[in-house]
Amino acid sequence: MKVYKNAIVWDWGGVIGANGDHFRCPALLQATGRTPEELNLRYHNMEQALYVGAMTTSDFWTALCQSLDVSIPISTLLDEYNATMSVRKSYLDLTKQFSQSEHLLCSNIGPDGMEWIFRTLAVEDFFVWWWFSCLVGLRKPQPSIFYRIEQWTAFPVSRHCLVDDSEENCSAARARGWTSIKVDSTMSATTIAGQIKEWETADQCHSVA
């Protein structure tokens, strides 16, 4: 039995997949005549409440529609939101490529997005554990979320690597003593694999058979 000594912590939105965008639902844009950017600017704090579990999906959509003085069935908004979710298979497959590391999923996401992930993906086939902000009430880059992961893995702090598309999250991870790999939309899975391999095979990173 192999005992792992390090953990790769993957973000969902912008890395393994795409988070849904509440403010790009066509029915919402058509009914309000506003741009996604305008809606995000005005209702960002409401969305963040959803992301930490302070609002249910139904309450969020109801409150948003009331604030905008529009009437749209929640089922329509959910269907349109789910249509903006996706999985990036080339990145997901990297969790099978690196056998020296445990793979964990940590995402700032609302319950609607989390439910889509569990409906679409056999999460346990790729990740040994997962942290969704709407369940734990914490969001990256809060230091507490990194500390919780460290407690769960029981690995030394330096044996954690965050793969994320947010520089703010990556900076917070580095401040904790983690390694971070900043992903952008132009980065191939091969490039990410090379950076992970360099980190995973460093002298201080090892597994015991």
Side-chain angles (χ1 to χ4, degrees):
M1 180 178 178
K2 183 172 286 189
V3 179
Y4 300 101
K5 296 295 183 181
N6 48 295
I8 301 174
V9 181
W10 297 84
D11 178 42
W12 175 267
V15 182
I16 295 297
N19 275 356
D21 190 332
H22 296 100
F23 303 125
R24 290 189 183 277
C25 295
L28 192 65
L29 299 178
Q30 183 176 0
T32 63
R34 302 188 186 187
T35 67
E37 292 72 24
E38 288 173 329
L39 294 174
N40 181 64
L41 183 64
R42 183 169 179 180
Y43 298 103
H44 175 78
N45 288 340
M46 187 184 296
E47 186 181 45
Q48 298 316 299
L50 178 72
Y51 275 24
V52 295
M55 298 183 78
T56 67
T57 300
S58 178
D59 287 345
F60 168 79
W61 286 120
T62 298
L64 183 62
C65 288
Q66 288 177 346
S67 297
L68 292 165
D69 196 27
V70 297
S71 179
I72 304 170
I74 292 176
S75 59
T76 297
L77 293 168
L78 275 174
D79 287 344
E80 293 184 348
Y81 169 83
N82 288 336
T84 67
M85 297 281 291
S86 65
V87 178
R88 187 177 292 176
K89 188 176 184 299
S90 62
Y91 283 16
L92 182 64
D93 287 346
L94 292 177
T95 63
K96 300 295 188 182
Q97 185 173 334
F98 295 95
S99 59
Q100 291 187 15
S101 296
E102 286 188 338
H103 296 270
L104 303 100
L105 183 62
C106 182
S107 178
N108 296 341
I109 198 167
D112 39 12
M114 179 188 68
E115 290 165 7
W116 184 93
I117 292 171
F118 280 116
R119 285 197 309 270
T120 306
L121 189 68
V123 179
E124 65 278 6
D125 289 348
F126 300 93
F127 304 99
V128 297
W129 201 248
W130 41 88
W131 282 263
F132 293 110
S133 60
C134 61
L135 289 182
V136 299
L138 297 168
R139 300 179 68 253
K140 296 173 294 184
Q142 291 177 273
S144 298
I145 191 67
F146 301 110
Y147 177 67
R148 281 201 182 187
I149 293 172
E150 294 161 12
Q151 286 185 307
W152 189 91
T153 65
F155 297 157
V157 170
S158 63
R159 300 319 317 142
H160 297 78
C161 177
L162 176 69
V163 184
D164 203 295
D165 67 329
S166 164
E167 179 55 42
E168 187 178 14
N169 294 342
C170 288
S171 294
R174 291 193 298 270
R176 287 284 312 168
W178 292 26
T179 293
S180 67
I181 296 174
K182 168 69 167 59
V183 174
D184 63 45
S185 59
T186 66
M187 191 176 293
S188 68
T190 301
T191 299
I192 296 173
Q195 294 187 36
I196 293 174
K197 185 173 183 180
E198 182 179 352
W199 170 76
E200 192 181 58
T201 57
D203 288 343
Q204 70 271 26
C205 176
H206 61 280
S207 61
V208 180

